[in-house]
Amino acid sequence: MRKAFLTICIGLLSAAMYGQTILNINLVPPNPTTQDSITIIAEMAYPSGGCDTRDPLIFTLSGNSVYAITHHCIGMLAVICNDIDTFSIGKLQAGTYTFNLTSTAGALPWPCSPGIVPTLSTVSFAVSNANSINETSLGGATIFYSGNMLTIASQLPLTTGSVINIYNMTGQRIHRAQLEAVSKQQIPISLTNGAYMVEIQNAEGKKHGQQKIVVVN
């Protein structure tokens, strides 16, 4: 009885030591079309640092489901460490998809021990057909960034209720603003060096267009 109790305690301790958390799953670009190469970025956290190494990332596409597995080898430091796993999915046909991620962690040295307590997360996303909207010109508008100011100039005034969304390359929305029904307007915003995806939506939430910009201050 005492031996069995000890075995259970060791198992529970190992599960706590090698547990992991999927903090966030981001889609790049955030609203892909059939012409986009899709990347999925998973932000991970581990309670027993450090994030020393991992097994090769694995994913498979079955119908409209993507199944991915990540297995990290972690050390014995009593600190939380964060890591990022990147899955380059490529182009997909139009439709609704699910991304199913299974994450496990084991102990060093590599190849590390099998995962004890898997963490599962599923997100859904849609891939739309590329249409007549010019995805690089915001549907007839042009955009540029200079001096902490984002300028939007369109051939025709934007519709009332339009909004602009700005995403970083991890798919995180960093800014959202209401637009005026005018042909040219400026939005004050401070952007650090890097690439961003700018998207305009109409009042009904339908995408009017999107454009990638690169900021070099």
Side-chain angles (χ1 to χ4, degrees):
M1 176 70 69
R2 187 175 299 175
K3 183 177 180 181
F5 177 76
L6 180 61
T7 301
I8 293 174
C9 289
I10 292 174
L12 292 175
L13 179 61
S14 299
M17 182 177 297
Y18 300 121
Q20 64 284 319
T21 302
I22 301 174
L23 298 176
N24 202 8
I25 296 178
N26 297 302
L27 188 71
V28 180
N31 298 290
T33 71
T34 52
Q35 293 183 347
D36 295 317
S37 184
I38 298 171
T39 299
I40 297 177
I41 300 173
E43 301 178 35
M44 320 293 295
Y46 300 88
S48 303
C51 300
D52 295 289
T53 186
R54 68 168 69 86
D55 287 347
L57 299 177
I58 300 173
F59 75 88
T60 60
L61 177 63
S62 177
N64 283 45
S65 296
V66 181
Y67 298 94
I69 298 174
T70 176
H71 184 66
H72 283 246
C73 306
I74 59 178
M76 298 296 292
L77 300 177
V79 295
I80 295 176
C81 69
N82 295 337
D83 206 354
I84 292 177
D85 292 332
T86 302
F87 300 87
S88 298
I89 306 301
K91 295 182 179 181
L92 295 174
Q93 295 180 353
T96 300
Y97 294 82
T98 58
F99 177 76
N100 308 274
L101 177 62
T102 300
S103 175
T104 56
L108 286 169
W110 191 88
C112 57
S113 60
I116 299 173
V117 181
T119 299
L120 308 176
S121 184
T122 300
V123 296
S124 298
F125 63 94
V127 178
S128 60
N129 281 307
N131 51 35
S132 57
I133 294 178
N134 188 336
E135 294 292 333
T136 62
S137 66
L138 288 172
T142 57
I143 185 169
F144 60 90
Y145 176 81
S146 178
N148 293 334
M149 195 71 69
L150 192 73
T151 301
I152 304 171
S154 57
Q155 297 175 358
L156 297 173
L158 296 172
T159 58
T160 302
S162 295
V163 297
I164 185 170
N165 297 309
I166 302 177
Y167 300 88
N168 60 23
M169 285 296 99
T170 67
Q172 178 185 14
R173 188 174 66 189
I174 61 172
H175 191 77
R176 179 180 177 87
Q178 195 83 22
L179 297 177
E180 299 177 6
V182 296
S183 58
K184 184 177 181 179
Q185 53 196 301
Q186 292 183 314
I187 299 173
I189 181 175
S190 178
L191 297 175
T192 58
N193 291 347
Y196 300 87
M197 189 66 69
V198 180
E199 176 190 81
I200 291 180
Q201 294 178 335
N202 62 20
E204 289 74 35
K206 185 177 180 181
K207 185 169 66 175
H208 179 67
Q210 67 180 26
Q211 178 180 328
K212 180 179 179 181
I213 64 172
V214 178
V215 174
V216 180
N217 293 307

